[in-house]
Amino acid sequence: MTGHLLRRLAGMVLVLFALSALVYALFYLMPGDPARLACGPRCNTIQVESVRGQLGLNDPVPAQYWHFLQGIAAGHDYSTGTSVQHCGAPCFGLSYQNDQQVTDLITQRLPVTGSLALGAMVIWLLLGIGTGLLSALRRGGLTERVLTLLTLAGTATPVFIVGLLLMMLFCAHLRWLPFPTYVPFTEDPEQWAWNLLLPWVALALVESAKYARLTRSSMLETLAEDHIRTFRAHGVGERGIVGRHALRGALPPVIALSALDFGTMFGGAVLTESMFGLPGVGQLLVRSVKAVDLPVVVALVLVTGFFVVVANALADVLYAVADRRVVLT
Amino acid sequence: MSADTLVADEAGPAVAAAVPASGARHVWRRLRARRGTVAAAAVIALLTLTAWAAPALTALEGQDPDAYHDTLVDSAAGGVPKGSFGGVSTDHWLGVEPGTGRDLFARLITGARVSLSVAVGATLVQVLIGVAVGLLAGLGPRRVDSLLSRATDVMLALPHLVFAIALLAVVPSGFPRPVLLALVIALLGWAGTSKIVRAQTLTLKSLDHVAAARLGGSGPWRVARRELLPSLAAPVITYGAILLPTNIVVEAGLSFLGVGVKPPTPSWGQMLSTATMWFRADPMYVLLPAALLFVTVLAFTVLGDGVRTALDPRAASRLGVGTSKGAGR
């Protein structure tokens, strides 16, 4: 298993290099002058040129890229006119927009995205696995039909529709819930939860459909396997079969998918965040791309890519742990 | 009477079901056997017809999707449409847009045209690239295969939304926007198809009739066209049918974020994005595009599911194949 993980790690580093180079190349082609955007609308040509020099945009692109890689490995010092600002490794540079350190910009927003992801994930796992199991066990009945229909509706609805309808109903019409704004957990846990409830539910409803389908098909497949039939023949009760034996066979793919989704979540639930106006990583991403804020975008792509690749590896390991027939080579 | 029906007559339906029936007629019969699939097809036919006839229908209504009607909105109340249900009248069948007073019916059906053509175009290009890359990897020399397989892996690991937003910003605004959207969605989403096609090609390559053709001196191009493509049709069509609703959601999501279809071209995602500011004053403006988008995606999902079961009754996608990462969140 160690050899497997090491090889995965090497592949991971390569993929991340490829990703960052790709983003660099892509943004080099983008119209819009980062120096002018960074300087603001009132700058004259001379000021823009000095900003361009400060940002290192006069260097050839490969040199800029190399400088960027150095920053991640060793950190940088930036002179801001009067004082020297240290940006420790991993340093993704300074935002073109407001000279803030990109690392800070992202870490400020991670709690928002993290809060959204964690809460939503708890709901969607409970809802998705529960629905999937119920519809697998009540196969052929009315319950299964209703659940299948609901699941199908869930897969067909983008999160901004669910979010809009929930807000219309619970915030505008019934006035049971506040219009979501982010309140940090450390400030007021109760308000944190109240404000995030709708985003959680909206995201969870959309995501749980996928889990329900997967749990159902995986459970049905396991129930049809030989060893389950043997247990039945030996008189093991239905409850014991489902609870002890079938679940063990049916859950590995669900666990693997959760690990993957957890990884992608760090890139921000872009649509959910912009729908509810939550200042998370996803919102930062959309803004930075629109403003050609290259350092922020590259950093976000790398951070997301990193979590996705780690989650992929984690999913494989979890799969092997949960399903002993799988051997990692 | 064909060979398959003979088997069915002699051995009974159980055997007939176990023999994977091929041929367009069997597939057609299985498609028609499910009420849900037929209903979905009917809805899609209606939608397509409406979208195709959108210019004629708007002309019949006597409205222009881009014409402003200041007199129809109450500027004292912030631009809410005058009259009930969002300003429904004999002139404006579904009312008008808040703020601008543009005709909602005209914008909705013109939006359907945009949504459907972008999604269908994206799916076609996606499948074409996927089949080409998959065939090349499966039939080509080992070096080509490993290169293409790595490229496919990188494509699957890309944070799609980031690249979609970035690519959409790179291209000058003169390029027709819907075409660009379709191309961007396709360029980012072919990896799944190519993986499936490659795997199928490797399996098919070892089959007798393909081996015979190769030994008989047929070149790779001829083998691909005569021996492989017919067998690849079923999985490729299935995968395309699953991709289509995802692409509709992706287009709506990008337009929702403000990077997709540009105004004044109407699009459902864009309307829903504007609707986040109007849902208290004008609920109709949320409900109509939301309902249309929901019904469209649902119909295509049901049809895709029907096509899958009709073409291969045994195959069930375990990991929710086709739901591209985070498309709806």
Side-chain angles (χ1 to χ4, degrees), chain B:
Chain B
M1 196 181 277
S2 74
D4 282 299
T5 39
L6 266 178
V7 173
D9 287 341
E10 282 166 14
V15 178
V19 176
S22 54
R25 212 159 3 126
H26 291 275
V27 172
W28 183 239
R29 197 186 311 148
R30 273 202 297 257
L31 267 178
R32 277 192 322 183
R34 300 176 97 201
R35 261 182 302 169
T37 313
V38 176
V43 170
I44 291 168
L46 187 68
L47 273 167
T48 315
L49 200 69
T50 316
W52 175 74
L57 285 170
T58 31
L60 185 72
E61 192 200 18
Q63 298 297 335
D64 172 358
D66 297 333
Y68 284 56
H69 303 283
D70 294 339
T71 48
L72 294 173
V73 292
D74 189 353
S75 49
V80 180
K82 291 175 188 164
S84 50
F85 298 111
V88 172
S89 65
T90 44
D91 285 336
H92 300 278
W93 297 346
L94 294 176
V96 295
E97 201 177 52
T100 61
R102 288 182 290 194
D103 184 74
L104 202 50
F105 174 77
R107 288 191 75 72
L108 279 171
I109 62 173
T110 316
R113 212 175 155 84
V114 177
S115 258
L116 289 180
S117 46
V118 167
V120 170
T123 311
L124 285 179
V125 180
Q126 228 166 24
V127 166
L128 272 180
I129 302 177
V131 170
V133 174
L135 273 179
L136 211 61
L139 288 177
R142 189 184 288 262
R143 288 239 308 273
V144 174
D145 179 24
S146 71
L147 189 74
L148 288 177
S149 298
R150 286 295 81 72
T152 309
D153 285 346
V154 171
M155 286 310 291
L156 284 172
L158 281 186
H160 288 181
L161 209 53
V162 183
F163 275 84
I165 299 172
L167 276 171
L168 287 166
V170 172
V171 180
S173 51
F175 201 85
R177 205 67 189 172
V179 179
L180 176 64
L181 255 178
L183 283 178
V184 166
I185 297 174
L187 277 178
L188 290 170
W190 52 264
T193 320
S194 90
K195 252 196 137 104
I196 287 179
V197 170
R198 176 180 171 271
Q200 288 277 331
T201 308
L202 289 180
T203 318
L204 290 170
K205 215 158 84 168
S206 60
L207 293 184
D208 288 346
H209 68 100
V210 183
R214 281 156 71 97
L215 287 173
S218 302
W221 173 240
R222 195 183 156 85
V223 170
R225 201 163 41 96
R226 295 280 297 267
E227 312 293 336
L228 296 179
L229 281 181
S231 313
L232 284 171
V236 167
I237 291 174
T238 304
Y239 200 65
I242 300 173
L243 280 174
L244 191 60
T246 318
N247 287 339
I248 299 177
V249 175
V250 172
E251 186 276 322
L254 288 170
S255 298
F256 181 85
L257 291 174
V259 293
V261 178
K262 290 275 185 253
T265 314
S267 120
W268 296 341
Q270 195 192 84
M271 286 183 187
L272 286 165
S273 161
T274 325
T276 51
M277 293 178 290
W278 289 102
F279 63 86
R280 261 182 285 196
D282 186 5
M284 284 299 275
Y285 190 52
V286 179
L287 295 176
L288 286 172
L292 259 177
L293 182 57
F294 175 74
V295 168
T296 309
V297 179
L298 186 65
F300 275 106
T301 311
V302 172
L303 185 73
D305 207 51
V307 169
R308 199 192 69 202
T309 24
L311 282 175
D312 187 0
R314 284 163 307 172
S317 60
R318 271 172 69 102
L319 266 176
V321 175
T323 47
S324 96
K325 296 175 305 181
R329 66 177 175 238

Side-chain angles (χ1 to χ4, degrees), chain A:
Chain A
M1 194 186 273
T2 321
H4 169 84
L5 284 181
L6 281 177
R7 234 168 304 139
R8 279 302 282 259
L9 209 70
M12 194 170 108
V13 173
L14 275 180
V15 169
L16 290 180
F17 266 120
L19 272 183
S20 65
L22 217 69
V23 182
Y24 242 86
L26 187 63
F27 272 76
Y28 183 65
L29 297 170
M30 265 177 88
D33 181 356
R36 180 161 286 284
L37 282 166
C39 197
R42 290 170 173 220
C43 279
N44 58 35
T45 326
I46 302 162
Q47 282 167 316
V48 171
E49 280 315 312
S50 95
V51 168
R52 198 188 307 283
Q54 253 175 31
L55 295 174
L57 291 172
N58 288 327
D59 304 339
V61 179
Q64 288 183 41
Y65 181 58
W66 178 244
H67 188 71
F68 165 75
L69 289 182
Q70 273 179 329
I72 297 177
H76 276 308
D77 285 322
Y78 290 94
S79 67
T80 49
T82 48
S83 63
V84 175
Q85 192 185 2
H86 180 67
C87 167
C91 175
F92 291 106
L94 303 180
S95 157
Y96 288 166
Q97 291 290 300
N98 48 17
D99 278 351
Q100 251 188 305
Q101 288 189 14
V102 174
T103 325
D104 291 347
L105 273 177
I106 295 176
T107 41
Q108 276 164 17
R109 283 159 180 267
L110 267 180
V112 184
T113 298
S115 305
L116 176 65
L118 269 178
M121 198 158 177
V122 169
I123 303 179
W124 90 53
L125 282 180
L126 289 175
L127 203 67
I129 296 177
T131 314
L133 283 182
L134 197 65
S135 91
L137 297 177
R138 298 277 163 82
R139 206 177 174 198
L142 182 70
T143 320
E144 194 215 358
R145 277 215 209 148
V146 172
L147 287 179
T148 311
L149 208 70
L150 284 178
T151 319
L152 213 59
T155 42
T157 325
V159 71
F160 45 89
I161 291 189
V162 184
L164 264 171
L165 295 182
L166 285 176
M167 274 216 295
M168 271 172 81
L169 185 63
F170 290 107
C171 305
H173 191 70
L174 296 171
R175 293 168 195 266
W176 288 355
L177 290 168
F179 284 98
T181 47
Y182 182 71
V183 179
F185 182 77
T186 45
E187 223 167 76
D188 186 348
E190 203 190 321
Q191 281 305 311
W192 172 80
W194 269 124
N195 275 288
L196 280 170
L197 189 60
L198 275 189
W200 283 342
V201 171
L203 186 52
L205 280 178
V206 172
E207 288 289 305
S208 61
K210 199 167 67 183
Y211 282 80
R213 286 182 114 172
L214 180 63
T215 309
R216 178 176 178 275
S217 68
S218 173
M219 190 71 187
L220 286 177
E221 219 165 282
T222 315
L223 282 175
E225 271 171 23
D226 289 343
H227 72 281
I228 297 289
R229 204 172 46 194
T230 312
F231 282 130
R232 279 229 171 84
H234 281 276
V236 179
E238 196 61 37
R239 188 179 286 244
I241 285 182
V242 172
R244 210 167 308 145
H245 305 293
L247 260 184
R248 144 156 287 170
L251 283 186
V254 179
I255 296 172
L257 184 65
S258 329
L260 271 184
D261 270 342
F262 193 69
T264 35
M265 272 311 219
F266 279 95
V270 179
L271 288 171
T272 316
E273 282 172 19
S274 34
M275 152 87 244
F276 289 105
L278 298 172
V281 178
Q283 204 193 41
L284 178 67
L285 172 70
V286 176
R287 263 191 214 167
S288 313
V289 172
K290 284 185 183 166
V292 206
D293 200 343
L294 180 59
V296 183
V297 177
V298 179
L300 282 174
V301 170
L302 278 181
V303 171
T304 318
F306 174 78
F307 280 113
V308 169
V309 182
V310 169
N312 257 311
L314 190 71
D316 280 359
V317 173
L318 282 178
Y319 207 108
V321 171
D323 188 338
R324 290 179 200 151
R325 287 167 300 181
V326 177
V327 180
L328 294 180
T329 48

